[in-house]
Amino acid sequence: MKNKMLSQSVADNILTMITVEKRFSAGDKLPNELDLAGELNVSRTTLREAIRILVAYGVLEIQRGKGTYVTDNSLRQPEDLEQLSNIKVNAKDLYEMRLIFEPEAAYYAAIRGTDAEIKRILDYGKRIEDEIRQGKDRTKDEHAFHKAIAQATHNEFMNKLMPILYQAISKGVVLSTQSDRAISDTVNDHKMIMEFLEQRNAEGARNAMKIHIMHAIKELGID
């Protein structure tokens, strides 16, 4: 059962790379099995099972002797979700939604996340810290960090909401470049979230995420 949940989670990760992160387009070939399994922190057996799931849904196709390719069907989102994602809302509404949603996601991730999923969250957190120190754009890894937490909840509805919350995260990254305090808070808050997740402390993870979002609301002047 646990292996089945992990392969489904990995399938979700790959789908996110295609539909949300736009790393792969229709007709693109996926990286080789060894590299992709390494990036996702899973075994090649789990990756193969995840690919089988996506092949069954028509998202990927395996071309014998060539590799695994993204199909045209992969970019079609359910109509209701597509409409939700296109709604233009202000930063205040988006951050209120994050405050309602993400502390609970952190809580359940601490309880339900597999060791590989927790490791993936920590890896993204460290990458974000490096990008902040080097003055690089961290938007993509911020998305991945919060998406990885949502996926570790093993709650499908939480995963479906993430594309909408990306708008809030992107706005926050842009606004935070104007505030040294906001950047400092991001580093410290992420460390706190990561420590509680690593310890499997669900209440701590929930409170750390709440503090993180409240810091952002205050420092970015959107309350």
Side-chain angles (χ1 to χ4, degrees):
M1 179 65 180
K2 194 171 182 181
N3 286 342
K4 190 177 178 185
M5 285 174 68
L6 181 56
S7 57
Q8 181 61 59
S9 175
V10 173
D12 289 339
N13 285 338
I14 296 169
L15 188 59
T16 297
M17 290 175 178
I18 297 166
T19 59
V20 178
E21 297 173 10
K22 310 292 185 192
R23 273 183 59 183
F24 309 111
S25 302
D28 283 356
K29 182 182 176 182
L30 290 190
N32 72 58
E33 197 177 79
L34 190 62
D35 290 344
L36 193 54
E39 181 182 343
L40 295 168
N41 294 317
V42 295
S43 69
R44 292 165 79 174
T45 305
T46 301
L47 177 62
R48 283 183 203 130
E49 182 56 38
I51 287 171
R52 274 197 288 270
I53 292 168
L54 293 174
V55 168
Y57 280 102
V59 173
L60 297 175
E61 63 177 355
I62 297 169
Q63 296 181 16
R64 193 169 296 174
K66 291 185 178 180
T68 305
Y69 291 81
V70 179
T71 69
D72 292 336
N73 292 335
S74 63
L75 303 178
R76 291 179 192 154
Q77 284 188 330
E79 200 173 310
D80 54 348
L81 180 61
E82 199 170 349
Q83 288 171 356
L84 268 175
S85 299
N86 289 334
I87 292 171
K88 302 296 182 202
V89 286
N90 63 39
K92 182 175 182 291
D93 288 347
L94 286 165
Y95 269 83
E96 277 182 3
M97 190 173 171
R98 287 190 70 186
L99 199 53
I100 293 164
F101 168 79
E102 290 196 80
E104 298 308 311
Y107 177 90
Y108 286 111
I111 294 172
R112 298 174 182 166
T114 64
D115 290 345
E117 286 168 337
I118 298 296
K119 183 180 184 302
R120 192 158 188 255
I121 294 165
L122 302 182
D123 286 347
Y124 280 125
K126 288 167 190 163
R127 212 180 292 179
I128 290 164
E129 198 175 326
D130 290 341
E131 286 162 349
I132 287 173
R133 285 205 181 105
Q134 295 167 27
K136 293 180 179 176
D137 178 25
R138 67 182 194 275
T139 308
K140 183 179 167 185
D141 284 326
E142 282 276 4
H143 287 176
F145 177 77
H146 289 276
K147 174 69 176 175
I149 291 172
Q151 286 178 326
T153 68
H154 297 278
N155 180 307
E156 194 50 41
F157 188 68
M158 286 190 178
N159 283 313
K160 291 286 186 281
L161 277 174
M162 282 312 295
I164 303 157
L165 294 187
Y166 285 152
Q167 294 182 53
I169 294 165
S170 296
K171 282 176 187 281
V173 170
V174 172
L175 291 169
S176 73
T177 58
Q178 301 159 23
S179 167
D180 291 340
R181 178 68 185 271
I183 290 172
S184 169
D185 280 344
T186 295
V187 172
N188 293 332
D189 293 349
H190 276 196
K191 277 184 179 173
M192 188 164 52
I193 293 165
M194 289 156 64
E195 281 172 14
F196 283 125
L197 286 172
E198 196 168 22
Q199 294 163 12
R200 301 289 184 162
N201 183 328
E203 285 292 347
R206 174 196 272 156
N207 291 330
M209 182 65 80
K210 188 173 183 181
I211 289 166
H212 174 44
I213 297 166
M214 289 177 75
H215 270 155
I217 289 170
K218 183 182 177 187
E219 293 303 327
L220 303 177
I222 53 178
D223 51 355

